[in-house]
């Protein structure tokens, strides 16, 4: 697998190397927000508020489905009057009971960890909301329990349908009055996703295409992706996961202020050392900073100081700034840029972004 930057502006290569249509799936994000909103309203998601507000919300899911829980928590924000946690495991924690809302999210509707947690939630008498493919095992569990089910029409893998899976959770949170979110907001988010899809379209060349530019920055480095707010940190984690799954590429992720207490030390380590005698620059880390308008003032100072320190040490830096008034708009924008960058990185290496054969192999090994 060799990195060939010219591939990013070769239209034939971009379509031939992407038979699963990952670029098309990313471009469909705006449509996914609109469909996700419509499906949530048609499924009468607001019924989760019938019993009043729960004591806590736990979102169960794995991989490209679980990130919906992280997005919900970050968008609801620090002022949320109840805890919102994401569960990525087989077991429902002991503290969750009948006064809590469990939201099970599974694109396929068949992830065994998520089914296990949903079943335990029903047994414990929790309110259950489930989101996933129509006709799935998850739908059967929800229907049996008379729980609200949102059947989202997924094309392809969960990670390529993030907004179909996430939008119903935001609609539910708005019904619980945890955040302001109405049809206008979802339309604004969809419009901003359309704008990014236009700027990052395959025919837009690398020097003006922010998705291709970030792929060019990351290629050949191990990116350390930091977010400077809870919203930006979720986008940073998503980018790391998308680099893993789309480009089969390693990535580290961190959130300020925490990253300033550990990962910053890497600036002085062997992976950051410039060796002028080596064939390549001899430097393999890159700091990718995802910025948000809503930063704690001390985090702003830490971010600025960390960026200065990186530059003083010749550690390459990429910065992306979120735009938008509502945190959902800023989240969507950062995620879309990262989705494009990870897909273009795959295509620049000549890797098909869609299949994840190592994940499939691991699942097959444990099913024997
Ligand atoms: O998203 P569901 O279908 O619940 O599956 C959970 C996760 O399983 C993993 O092995 C991957 O395939 C992820 O992309 C997926 O999101």
């Amino acid at each position: 697998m060799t990195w060939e930057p010219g591939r990013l502006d070769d239209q034939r290569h971009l379509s031939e190397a992407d038979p699963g249509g990952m670029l098309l799936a990313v471009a469909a994000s705006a449509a996914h927000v609109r469909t996700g909103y419509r499906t949530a309203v048609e499924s009468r998601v607001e019924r989760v508020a019938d019993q009043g507000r729960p004591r806590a919300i736990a979102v169960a899911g794995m991989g490209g489905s679980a990130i919906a829980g992280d997005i919900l928590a970050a968008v609801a924000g620090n002022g949320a009057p109840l805890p919102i946690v994401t569960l990525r495991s087989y077991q429902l924690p002991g503290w969750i009971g009948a006064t809590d809302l469990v939201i099970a999210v599974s694109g396929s509707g068949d992830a065994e960890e998520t089914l296990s947690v949903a079943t335990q939630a029903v047994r414990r008498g929790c309110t259950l909301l489930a989101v996933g493919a129509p006709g799935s095992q998850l739908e059967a569990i929800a229907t049996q329990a008379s729980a609200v089910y949102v059947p989202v029409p997924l094309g392809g893998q969960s990670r390529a349908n993030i907004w179909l899976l996430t939008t119903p959770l935001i609609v539910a949170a708005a019904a619980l009055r945890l955040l302001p979110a109405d049809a206008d907001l979802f339309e604004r988010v969809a419009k901003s996703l359309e704008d990014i899809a236009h700027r990052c379209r395959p025919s837009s060349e690398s020097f003006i295409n922010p998705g291709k530019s970030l792929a060019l920055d990351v290629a050949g480095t191990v990116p350390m992706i930091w977010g400077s707010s809870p919203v930006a940190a979720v986008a940073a984690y998503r980018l790391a996961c998308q680099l893993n799954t789309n480009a089969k590429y390693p990535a580290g992720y961190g959130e300020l202020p925490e990253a300033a207490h550990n990962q910053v030390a890497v600036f002085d380590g062997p992976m950051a050392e410039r060796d002028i005698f080596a064939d390549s620059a001899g430097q393999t880390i890159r700091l990718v900073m995802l910025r948000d308008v809503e930063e704690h003032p001390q985090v702003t100072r830490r971010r600025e100081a960390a960026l200065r320190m990186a530059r003083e040490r010749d550690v390459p830096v990429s910065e992306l700034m979120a735009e938008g008034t509502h945190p959902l708009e800023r989240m969507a924008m950062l995620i879309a840029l990262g989705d494009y960058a990870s897909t273009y990185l795959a295509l620049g290496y000549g890797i098909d972004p869609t299949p994840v054969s190592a994940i499939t192999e691991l699942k097959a090994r444990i099913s024997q």
Side-chain angles (χ1 to χ4, degrees), residues 60-67 105-115 131 133 138 154 156-160 165 242 245 356 359-360 363:
M62 302 303 299
S65 294
I67 193 90
V105 185
S106 172
S108 63
D110 294 332
E112 64 177 36
E113 299 92 334
T114 314
L115 296 178
V131 182
L138 184 59
L154 246 71
Q157 309 225 11
S158 300
R159 68 180 192 279
L165 294 167
Q242 290 288 80
T245 49
V356 276
I359 296 177
T360 314
K363 279 185 192 163

Side-chain angles (χ1 to χ4, degrees), residues 8-9 11 14 23 200-205 209 212 340 344:
L8 297 188
D9 291 323
Q11 298 310 308
L14 291 181
L23 279 174
C200 295
R201 68 195 184 282
S203 62
S204 162
E205 295 204 5
N209 183 319
K212 292 182 183 177
Y340 271 108
Y344 282 126

Side-chain angles (χ1 to χ4, degrees), residues 178-268:
L178 298 179
L179 49 87
D182 56 11
D184 280 358
L185 170 70
F186 293 111
E187 196 44 41
R188 278 209 318 274
V189 171
K191 286 256 157 58
S192 127
L193 287 169
E194 277 169 353
D195 176 54
I196 289 169
H198 181 71
R199 285 162 53 204
C200 295
R201 68 195 184 282
S203 62
S204 162
E205 295 204 5
S206 299
F207 64 98
I208 48 162
N209 183 319
K212 292 182 183 177
S213 302
L214 184 56
L216 287 162
D217 280 359
V218 168
T221 71
V222 177
M224 296 168 56
I225 310 160
W226 293 3
S228 70
S229 74
V231 164
V234 172
Y237 177 63
R238 162 78 175 180
L239 175 53
C241 294
Q242 290 288 80
L243 289 169
N244 299 158
T245 49
N246 287 342
K248 325 326 172 206
Y249 202 86
Y253 129 87
E255 173 172 1
L256 284 171
E258 177 65 10
H261 292 277
N262 35 55
Q263 292 190 30
V264 71
V266 175
F267 293 177
D268 288 330

Side-chain angles (χ1 to χ4, degrees), residues 53 66 79 93 104 147 154 188 239 250 266 293 296 299 318:
R53 223 183 239 167
L154 246 71
R188 278 209 318 274
L239 175 53
V266 175
V293 282
H296 187 285
V299 167
S318 304

